C-alpha cells in the first residue's frame, strides 16, 4: 500500500465510509508496519471515546448484554463501536467468531460498527491489533467503544489495561462464595453484573457477590470508587437502565479524579508493549533452531538468545 | 474433488495470511445445522469464520461483510427462497462496491435453478451431499483468487 493509497483510505474512513473503516482495520490486523503507519496518521490527543471492557465467564450473556447497551446508547444518539474478541484454535489456527450473532439487530445501523477479532495465539486474548483498533475507533469519533473479551475465567484480566470502565459479568450458579473471593477477575471490576438474574439461585449468588464486595478491599481503584453490583436479565431487558446509570456514574467519577486521561496513557503504553512482545515472540520463534541445547548454562544461553533477537530486530 | 493434500497446498499458498469467511443464514429459515457444520469445518481448516446466526436479511449480510472485511461470503438457504434472496444480496453487494467478494451458496437448491444463480454471479453452489473437503477447497480457492487480483 502506497502512502497515497493509505491517505485516501484514512480520509474516506473519516468521512464515514464504512467499507474504508473495515479495510483500515484489516490493514491493522495484517501488518504491524501498516498499523504503525495508520496510527501515526490518526493518533495524537484524545478522541473522547469511553472504552468499556466487558469480561466474565463464558456463557454469562456478555454479547446479549452488550446488544442491550447498544440499544440504549443508540436512543441517546451516540455512536457505538464493538471489538468482539473470540478465541483462535491453538491447533488449526482457525477461529469461529460468533459474538455478533447476539448483536445482529444493530448490524445495519449507521451509528454502530461491530468488528470480530480473533486472539491469534495471544495469551491474555487481547492482541496488539485489538488495542490498535480501539485507538482508531476513538479517533473516528465513536462515543462508546465496547470491548468484549473471551471471558476465560480468572486469567482474563488484561482488559484492565485498556478500558475506562470494566464490567465483570457473571450468572447464577457459577460457583460459591469462595470462587467470588478468589484472586483475579473478581478484583478488577468497576461494575459487577449478575446477569440471567431471572434464574433460580440468583438471590443466593447475589448474596455471595455482595458479601465478597462488602468484605474485601475488592475493586480496581484505590480511590473512592466502590464497585457496584447490578442485577440484570439481558434477554428479558431487565436492569439495563440501572446498568447504564452505573456506567455513567463511573465515567463521571474517573473524569472527576483525572483517571480518564491516565487510562488512555496506560492503554497506549500497553499497546506499544503488546507490539514489542509480538515482534519479539515472532522473531524468537523464527530462530528457535539456533538455541544451543548443549550449553548447560541456560541462563547465559537465554541472554544470548535475547541479544540475538534484539540485534536481528534492530 | 478436493483431497486433503490439495487443501494443504492451498493453505500454504495463503502465506500465513489469515482468510476470513462470512457464514450466513439468509431469510426466514431456521435450519442452521448445515451452516454450523460448514462453519466448524472451515474453522478446523484454519480459516477465520464469522457466523451471523439465523434469519438474516440481505442488508445485514452485506453490512456484516463490510464491517468484518471478509474475503469470501458463504450463504446457506434451505427455505426455497434462494432466487429472490440471492438476487437482492448480489444487487446490494454491487451497490456497495463489494462485487469483488466471491459468494458461495449451499442448501436445498433444485438443479434447474443453478444456471439462474450462476448468472447472478454466484461462484459455487453446493448441493446436499457435497463433501466438507470440497467446500473447504472451493472456499480457499475463491479467497486466494480474489487476493491475487
Amino acid at each position: 500500500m502506497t502512502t497515497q493509497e493509505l491517505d485516501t483510505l484514512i480520509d474516506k474512513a473519516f468521512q464515514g465510509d464504512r467499507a474504508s473503516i473495515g479495510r483500515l482495520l484489516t490493514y491493522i490486523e495484517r501488518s504491524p508496519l501498516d498499523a504503525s503507519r495508520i496510527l501515526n496518521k490518526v493518533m495524537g490527543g484524545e478522541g473522547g471515546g469511553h472504552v468499556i471492557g466487558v469480561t466474565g465467564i463464558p456463557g454469562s450473556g456478555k454479547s446479549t448484554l452488550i446488544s442491550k447497551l447498544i440499544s440504549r446508547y443508540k436512543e441517546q444518539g451516540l455512536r457505538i463501536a464493538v471489538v468482539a474478541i473470540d478465541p483462535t484454535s491453538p491447533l488449526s489456527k482457525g477461529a469461529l467468531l460468533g459474538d455478533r450473532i447476539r448483536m445482529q439487530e444493530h448490524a445495519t445501523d449507521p451509528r454502530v460498527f461491530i468488528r470480530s477479532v480473533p486472539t491469534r495465539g495471544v495469551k491474555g486474548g487481547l492482541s496488539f491489533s485489538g488495542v490498535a483498533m480501539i485507538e482508531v475507533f476513538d479517533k473516528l469519533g465513536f462515543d462508546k467503544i465496547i470491548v468484549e473479551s473471551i471471558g476465560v475465567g480468572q486469567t482474563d484480566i488484561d482488559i484492565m489495561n485498556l478500558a475506562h470502565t470494566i464490567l465483570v459479568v457473571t450468572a447464577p450458579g457459577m460457583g460459591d462464595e469462595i470462587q467470588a473471593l478468589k484472586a483475579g477477575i473478581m478484583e478488577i471490576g468497576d461494575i459487577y453484573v449478575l446477569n440471567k438474574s431471572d434464574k433460580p439461585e440468583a438471590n443466593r449468588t447475589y448474596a455471595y457477590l455482595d458479601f465478597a464486595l462488602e468484605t474485601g478491599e475488592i475493586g480496581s481503584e484505590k480511590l473512592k470508587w466502590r464497585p457496584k453490583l447490578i442485577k440484570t436479565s439481558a434477554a428479558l431487558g431487565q436492569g439495563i437502565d440501572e446498568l447504564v446509570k452505573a456506567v455513567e456514574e463511573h465515567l463521571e467519577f474517573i473524569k472527576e479524579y483525572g483517571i480518564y486521561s491516565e487510562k488512555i496513557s496506560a492503554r497506549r503504553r500497553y499497546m506499544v508493549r503488546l507490539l514489542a512482545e509480538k515482534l519479539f515472540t515472532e522473531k524468537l520463534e523464527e530462530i528457535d533452531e539456533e538455541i544451543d541445547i548443549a550449553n548447560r548454562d541456560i541462563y547465559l544461553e537465554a541472554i544470548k538468545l535475547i541479544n540475538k533477537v534484539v540485534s536481528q530486530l534492530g | 474433488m478436493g483431497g486433503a493434500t490439495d487443501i494443504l497446498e492451498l493453505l500454504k499458498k495463503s502465506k500465513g495470511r489469515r482468510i476470513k469467511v462470512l457464514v450466513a443464514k439468509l431469510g426466514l429459515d431456521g435450519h442452521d445445522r448445515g451452516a454450523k457444520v460448514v462453519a466448524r469445518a472451515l474453522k478446523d481448516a484454519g480459516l477465520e469464520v464469522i457466523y451471523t446466526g439465523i434469519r438474516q436479511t440481505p442488508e445485514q449480510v452485506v453490512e456484516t461483510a463490510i464491517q468484518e472485511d471478509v474475503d469470501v461470503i458463504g450463504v446457506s438457504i434451505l427455505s426455497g427462497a434462494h432466487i429472490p434472496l440471492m438476487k437482492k444480496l448480489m444487487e446490494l453487494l454491487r451497490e456497495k462496491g463489494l462485487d469483488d467478494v466471491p459468494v458461495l451458496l449451499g442448501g436445498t437448491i433444485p438443479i434447474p435453478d443453478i444456471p439462474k444463480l450462476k448468472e447472478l454471479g454466484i461462484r459455487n453452489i453446493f448441493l446436499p451431499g457435497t463433501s466438507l473437503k470440497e467446500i473447504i477447497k472451493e472456499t480457499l480457492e475463491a479467497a486466494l483468487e480474489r487476493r491475487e487480483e
Side-chain angles (χ1 to χ4, degrees):
Chain A
M1 188 177 42
T2 67
T3 311
Q4 206 187 348
E5 280 167 349
L6 180 68
D7 285 346
T8 315
L9 193 64
I10 292 173
D11 282 348
K12 281 168 81 180
F14 272 88
Q15 284 157 19
D17 178 54
R18 294 162 74 78
S20 299
I21 298 175
R23 183 55 50 87
L24 209 55
L25 301 179
T26 300
Y27 279 118
I28 285 177
E29 270 185 322
R30 213 178 270 170
S31 127
L33 275 177
D34 284 341
S36 168
R37 285 164 68 195
I38 290 164
L39 290 173
N40 201 349
K41 297 260 180 204
V42 305
M43 261 173 67
E46 290 169 11
H50 178 203
V51 183
I52 304 170
V54 182
T55 184
I57 43 179
S60 54
K62 295 186 289 294
S63 306
T64 310
L65 198 68
I66 290 172
S67 185
K68 297 290 170 186
L69 285 176
I70 296 173
S71 299
R72 291 305 151 103
Y73 291 142
K74 265 163 54 176
E75 284 166 17
Q76 296 174 22
L78 301 175
R79 290 178 72 206
I80 309 108
V82 179
V83 177
I85 302 166
D86 257 338
T88 292
S89 157
L91 301 177
S92 72
K93 310 291 180 210
L96 184 52
L97 304 140
D99 284 336
R100 62 178 302 140
I101 296 175
R102 315 277 174 217
M103 311 172 201
Q104 276 302 84
E105 60 175 297
H106 306 296
T108 54
D109 194 300
R111 286 164 299 179
V112 181
F113 200 104
I114 304 167
R115 180 72 168 215
S116 311
V117 180
T119 58
R120 293 187 176 169
V122 180
K123 53 183 180 342
L126 280 159
S127 55
F128 158 73
S129 46
V131 186
M133 282 180 194
I134 296 174
E135 212 60 59
V136 171
F137 280 132
D138 186 36
K139 273 306 150 65
L140 287 171
F142 285 91
D143 304 291
K144 299 285 179 191
I145 301 156
I146 305 177
V147 183
E148 176 173 356
S149 84
I150 45 174
V152 279
Q154 298 184 5
T155 62
D156 195 27
I157 57 168
D158 289 355
I159 201 150
M160 67 189 277
N161 291 318
L162 59 89
H164 287 115
T165 302
I166 296 172
L167 311 188
V168 175
V169 186
T170 186
M174 299 286 192
D176 62 10
E177 60 189 294
I178 301 305
Q179 291 300 333
L181 294 170
K182 279 184 187 170
I185 197 158
M186 288 310 290
E187 293 172 334
I188 64 164
D190 299 306
I191 298 161
Y192 292 87
V193 184
L194 178 63
N195 194 29
K196 304 191 181 182
S197 62
D198 54 308
K199 288 237 184 311
E201 277 188 67
N203 285 339
R204 205 192 315 174
T205 309
Y206 185 88
Y208 286 153
L209 293 167
D210 196 41
F211 171 73
L213 292 176
E214 283 295 320
T215 50
E217 281 300 301
I218 286 183
S220 56
E221 302 310 332
K222 316 111 241 173
L223 280 155
K224 294 174 189 98
W225 177 260
R226 275 202 71 80
K228 291 187 185 298
L229 177 58
I230 311 277
K231 245 193 233 181
T232 60
S233 170
L236 300 177
Q238 291 166 356
I240 308 300
D241 287 333
E242 289 81 352
L243 179 59
V244 169
K245 192 167 153 266
V247 170
E248 286 322 294
E249 277 172 19
H250 185 260
L251 177 62
E252 278 166 32
F253 169 83
I254 58 169
K255 281 194 168 158
E256 194 181 324
Y257 286 91
I259 304 168
Y260 177 85
S261 300
E262 258 173 43
K263 292 218 177 199
I264 293 175
S265 307
R267 179 180 83 214
R268 288 179 180 164
R269 283 199 304 274
Y270 184 57
M271 178 171 71
V272 178
R273 220 164 71 206
L274 280 174
L275 179 56
E277 266 177 37
K278 179 184 162 70
L279 296 173
F280 193 90
T281 314
E282 280 171 5
K283 185 55 81 180
L284 197 58
E285 274 162 23
E286 223 178 279
I287 59 170
D288 182 60
E289 295 286 315
E290 295 172 32
I291 299 173
D292 178 15
I293 49 170
N295 185 353
R296 286 166 69 174
D297 189 341
I298 60 164
Y299 187 87
L300 195 71
E301 185 59 26
I303 300 291
K304 263 167 63 185
L305 199 60
I306 291 171
N307 286 329
K308 223 181 255 178
V309 169
V310 172
S311 67
Q312 289 193 25
L313 279 173
Chain B
M1 294 298 113
T5 41
D6 295 349
I7 291 172
L8 285 176
E9 279 305 309
L10 285 168
L11 280 173
K12 252 188 232 159
K13 261 208 241 166
S14 72
K15 293 191 189 98
R17 213 171 92 192
R18 304 293 163 78
I19 293 166
K20 259 176 117 172
V21 189
L22 182 65
V23 174
K25 283 290 303 172
L26 192 54
L28 286 175
D29 164 19
H31 301 88
D32 57 356
R33 182 68 60 93
K36 283 175 174 166
V37 169
V38 169
R40 168 96 202 253
L42 293 171
K43 179 209 83 179
D44 288 341
L47 282 74
E48 292 177 347
V49 184
I50 317 285
Y51 181 55
T52 61
I54 56 174
R55 297 194 201 107
Q56 298 291 298
T57 62
E59 286 82 0
Q60 281 175 312
V61 174
V62 172
E63 258 305 317
T64 305
I66 288 173
Q67 291 170 31
E68 301 286 357
D69 192 18
V70 294
D71 298 302
V72 180
I73 299 172
V75 178
S76 161
I77 302 177
L78 289 90
S79 65
H82 43 272
I83 301 270
L85 285 170
M86 293 310 285
K87 195 160 172 262
K88 179 82 183 155
L89 179 76
M90 300 309 279
E91 274 169 17
L92 277 172
L93 285 173
R94 245 193 318 280
E95 211 176 277
K96 299 273 183 181
L98 265 72
D99 28 3
D100 64 324
V101 183
V103 177
L104 319 180
L105 172 67
T108 45
I109 313 292
I111 290 164
D113 287 348
I114 291 177
K116 187 137 194 225
L117 290 163
K118 289 260 180 193
E119 225 171 87
L120 288 174
I122 294 152
R123 183 187 158 105
N124 292 86
I125 294 143
F126 302 120
L127 300 180
T130 309
S131 75
L132 288 170
K133 271 181 190 151
E134 192 188 340
I135 295 173
I136 296 167
K137 179 174 159 276
E138 294 294 335
T139 307
L140 283 171
E141 273 179 2
L144 292 172
E145 262 175 43
R146 178 184 176 226
R147 244 177 227 186
E148 277 158 17
E149 275 169 16

